Amino acid sequence: MDVSGGLRMPRANQRPRLVDVAEHAAVSLATASRALAGREGVSTEVADRIRQIARELGYVANPYARTLAGGASSTVGLIVHQVDDPYFAEIAAGVIQLAAEQGLLVQICQSGRDPGYELQQLRHLIAQRVGIVLISGSGYDDPRMEAAARAELAAFQDHGGRAAAIGRHALGIDAVLPDNEAGGHALAQHLMDLGHQRIAVAAGSAGLTTVADRLAGVSSALRQRGRSPADLVVVHSDFTRGGGRAAAEQILNEHPATTAIIALNDAMAMGVLSTLRSRRVPVPARMSVVGFDDVSVAADLAPSLTTIRLPMTEMGRTALTLALKPRSTRPRRRPTGHLLVVRDSTGPAPTT
């Protein structure tokens, strides 16, 4: 430290080293390395202090500079919410297809819809010197939950990396944006056209922008028909098959007059159908069910699932295509469009 209390900066011709960060932070070299790589074993308070010192010294640029030393990295880092969800598997397939055509490798990480763990995975990928980062999955209503990731991605791109997102509004990078609101509107409209008045929604976790956008579409369709969205039954649960099963149980127990359930993704819809089968509720004679995404197995369910089709494989390809282009002055946005696919899981509302 100098007498003014600030950091003693390396000389102009001397690049800051990791040992400089460790010395100023009064931690071991290993601790400084773990903190800057986003690995476990360092408390949040200490890790934040180390990263702050690294920024003040100018060391934060080094991982990104190394990424492109001698040319762009041949690795793409892809972060998804859940690797065993068919939605993310199909997006990953699109990324992998285009990456193979470009001679690139893909490293896939899972965030578990945990913004803190997602940030850790992002930092890990950057530390692994990937040249491109792709993030797929819903963002969060609270912008503070993505502020650190946004800053990390900005630094990554400022130093030569490239990044793009699928389904995220607020990361400040190129993005492929699913047609969530219009799709939700189309699902509710379809059910009301069939005469359903008592509609419930099996929604994913509150706080996810995907859930909010799809619910907004459902609500707008109700308002268009002169109905109040306040009358809509909404049950929040995990954005998974297990969450769909739990939501369906709650709907059947607490709102037995319901005649149609809108599941806000196909994984939840599968869980809803499972619960209805176990409770011997006939679909669609007694209960209609719709999903969202049109994953590859949706047509093979019994009954086959009415859903909104998103071009998931193409979404993965488009995100990587954006990331392979030179960075633009303002982040680019690519909408996906949507298609209502009517199958056997929906029918006219029961008359009794």
Side-chain angles (χ1 to χ4, degrees):
M1 293 284 185
D2 64 20
V3 294
S4 66
L7 294 178
R8 185 176 62 251
M9 306 301 289
R11 291 187 301 274
N13 62 349
Q14 180 182 348
R15 174 176 291 177
R17 302 164 299 164
L18 182 60
V19 68
D20 297 320
V21 177
E23 178 185 337
H24 284 293
V27 298
S28 69
L29 200 61
T31 297
S33 177
R34 283 197 299 272
L36 295 175
R39 293 195 293 269
E40 296 178 355
V42 185
S43 72
T44 301
E45 182 181 357
V46 171
D48 286 345
R49 181 166 58 86
I50 292 169
R51 283 192 287 270
Q52 178 62 31
I53 289 170
R55 281 193 291 271
E56 292 176 8
L57 289 174
Y59 180 79
V60 69
N62 285 355
Y64 313 122
R66 287 200 306 269
T67 295
L68 300 179
S73 166
S74 62
T75 304
V76 177
L78 172 63
I79 302 174
V80 300
H81 279 336
Q82 191 173 340
V83 294
D84 62 350
D85 185 324
Y87 174 82
F88 294 110
E90 292 181 36
I91 286 172
V95 173
I96 291 168
Q97 285 173 10
L98 182 56
E101 293 167 14
Q102 299 292 322
L104 302 172
L105 299 174
V106 179
Q107 180 177 344
I108 301 177
C109 301
Q110 173 174 294
S111 70
R113 296 187 177 86
D114 178 339
Y117 190 61
E118 180 180 84
L119 179 62
Q120 182 179 326
Q121 294 295 304
L122 172 60
R123 288 173 173 157
H124 173 75
L125 287 172
I126 292 172
Q128 293 296 311
R129 306 188 193 181
V130 300
I132 293 172
V133 171
L134 304 178
I135 300 182
S136 178
S138 176
Y140 304 91
D141 284 344
D142 185 348
R144 293 172 297 181
M145 299 179 75
E146 296 183 293
R150 182 185 176 106
E152 204 76 45
L153 288 164
F156 177 60
Q157 294 203 112
D158 286 346
H159 293 86
R162 288 290 292 118
I166 299 168
R168 305 292 278 265
H169 301 273
L171 287 177
I173 58 179
D174 293 344
V176 178
L177 298 178
D179 212 352
N180 288 324
E181 187 167 344
H185 188 282
L187 288 174
Q189 193 170 55
H190 169 66
L191 292 172
M192 288 186 291
D193 287 344
L194 290 170
H196 292 278
Q197 299 293 316
R198 295 180 292 276
I199 299 171
V201 180
S205 305
L208 295 176
T209 55
T210 295
V211 171
D213 292 346
R214 293 179 181 183
L215 271 174
V218 173
S219 296
S220 70
L222 264 62
R223 283 192 295 269
Q224 194 176 76
R225 298 290 181 95
R227 298 177 55 184
S228 172
D231 297 333
L232 188 69
V233 172
V234 179
V235 175
H236 289 283
S237 188
D238 291 340
F239 223 12
T240 62
R241 277 174 289 191
R245 286 192 290 270
E249 289 283 0
Q250 185 174 337
I251 290 166
L252 291 174
N253 291 338
E254 298 178 9
H255 308 278
T258 299
T259 63
I261 296 176
I262 298 174
L264 292 188
N265 70 7
D266 286 350
M268 292 196 83
M270 293 177 203
V272 168
L273 289 171
S274 175
T275 291
L276 294 175
R277 267 195 310 275
S278 68
R279 296 278 291 261
R280 301 186 183 280
V281 177
V283 177
R286 165 65 183 83
M287 184 81 73
S288 286
V289 178
V290 297
F292 204 119
D293 298 331
D294 196 28
V295 298
S296 57
V297 298
D300 299 322
L301 298 173
S304 57
L305 183 64
T306 294
T307 186
I308 292 294
R309 176 176 295 164
L310 296 177
M312 290 166 289
T313 301
E314 189 58 35
M315 286 157 55
R317 291 182 66 95
T318 301
L320 181 52
T321 298
L322 287 171
L324 288 168
K325 295 175 184 240
R327 187 180 182 185
S328 63
T329 305
R330 298 180 64 182
R332 292 168 285 230
R333 298 287 182 261
R334 295 289 184 271
T336 63
H338 72 281
L339 177 68
L340 174 67
V341 181
V342 178
R343 298 194 180 104
D344 297 336
S345 66
T346 52
T351 55
T352 57

